[in-house]
Amino acid sequence: MTPIVRIYEACVEPPGDVMFLPSALMLVLENGHSHIYSEGSMHNFWRSACARHAWSELENGIVVDGHHVRLMDITAELEQLVPRHAWTVRRIVRAWYEQNPRQRFYLRRHVQRGS
């Protein structure tokens, strides 16, 4: 597998809300491709947002289809949980989910089926 170089937690503030909520985990590969782990319809939302906008724009926070969105770089945090030499998609998704299963519910199905 192509090495993972960056990991983001994608957060969204729905219209009329006042709080960013985590809704996806994104893994950026060395070859520029990415993998999105989210729940249901949010997968298509994030895939579309990533296709239309630069990563830097998403990191700074923008409005996409009426939703305020922001990517938070959590690469360093994940390195503390799983050493980079041991990174696999399965280990990363499980480690991030297990830090806060209630808030990271969007990863539950990926952890249960074993990514």
Side-chain angles (χ1 to χ4, degrees), residues 35-77:
H35 294 283
I36 300 170
Y37 296 90
S38 62
E39 187 176 66
S41 65
M42 287 307 290
H43 179 82
N44 289 337
F45 173 82
W46 286 114
R47 193 172 68 165
S48 174
C50 290
R52 292 185 290 167
H53 302 281
W55 290 103
S56 59
E57 286 182 285
L58 295 167
E59 283 183 74
N60 290 329
I62 59 173
V63 176
V64 177
D65 298 336
H67 295 73
H68 292 271
V69 300
R70 180 176 54 209
L71 299 186
M72 297 182 344
D73 188 340
I74 58 168
T75 307
E77 290 178 64

Side-chain angles (χ1 to χ4, degrees), residues 15-115:
D17 206 339
V18 294
M19 192 168 144
F20 278 96
L21 302 171
S23 70
L25 187 68
M26 297 181 184
L27 309 178
V28 181
L29 307 180
E30 189 175 69
N31 63 8
H33 293 131
S34 60
H35 294 283
I36 300 170
Y37 296 90
S38 62
E39 187 176 66
S41 65
M42 287 307 290
H43 179 82
N44 289 337
F45 173 82
W46 286 114
R47 193 172 68 165
S48 174
C50 290
R52 292 185 290 167
H53 302 281
W55 290 103
S56 59
E57 286 182 285
L58 295 167
E59 283 183 74
N60 290 329
I62 59 173
V63 176
V64 177
D65 298 336
H67 295 73
H68 292 271
V69 300
R70 180 176 54 209
L71 299 186
M72 297 182 344
D73 188 340
I74 58 168
T75 307
E77 290 178 64
L78 256 303
E79 285 179 313
Q80 298 300 312
L81 299 173
V82 180
R84 193 178 279 258
H85 72 273
W87 277 6
T88 64
V89 170
R90 184 179 204 163
R91 286 181 182 145
I92 289 170
V93 170
R94 179 171 295 282
W96 194 243
Y97 172 75
E98 288 176 350
Q99 288 299 301
N100 191 339
R102 185 173 175 195
Q103 189 166 42
R104 298 184 182 126
F105 66 92
Y106 61 90
L107 294 173
R108 183 176 301 122
R109 72 182 174 105
H110 300 289
V111 170
Q112 290 174 345
R113 75 171 181 212
S115 287

